[in-house]
Amino acid sequence: MTVRLNGDVRECREGITVAALVEELGLGNKRIAVEVNRDIIPHDEYANCGLQQDDEVEIVHFVGGGC
């Protein structure tokens, strides 16, 4: 199946969860925010949130720093 990840089309296996996608992307230990179809997914729901064909996923990771 395909989803749109941060604006790009990505092939994913059927039934993949947000948690599995985050791990595949190597972001499991990063501070991130995930939005699926414009809904923010709480971190504790990643494993329960299955993706569907044509879902739009946005993943933003935070970078530390400051002045």
Side-chain angles (χ1 to χ4, degrees):
M1 80 174 177
T2 58
V3 299
R4 187 164 295 278
L5 175 62
N6 292 352
D8 295 325
V9 174
R10 180 181 177 92
E11 288 290 326
C12 295
R13 61 181 154 67
E14 291 288 328
I16 192 170
T17 63
V18 169
L21 178 60
V22 166
E23 285 300 318
E24 281 185 13
L25 296 171
L27 299 172
N29 61 349
K30 308 260 190 220
R31 295 189 63 181
I32 61 171
V34 178
E35 182 181 278
V36 177
N37 299 324
R38 299 187 181 209
D39 292 324
I40 295 172
I41 308 300
H43 186 269
D44 60 350
E45 291 295 317
Y46 287 5
N48 298 324
C49 183
L51 298 176
Q52 304 295 318
Q53 175 71 28
D54 298 324
D55 276 349
E56 293 190 22
V57 181
E58 294 289 327
I59 299 177
V60 178
H61 64 94
F62 301 96
V63 178
C67 299

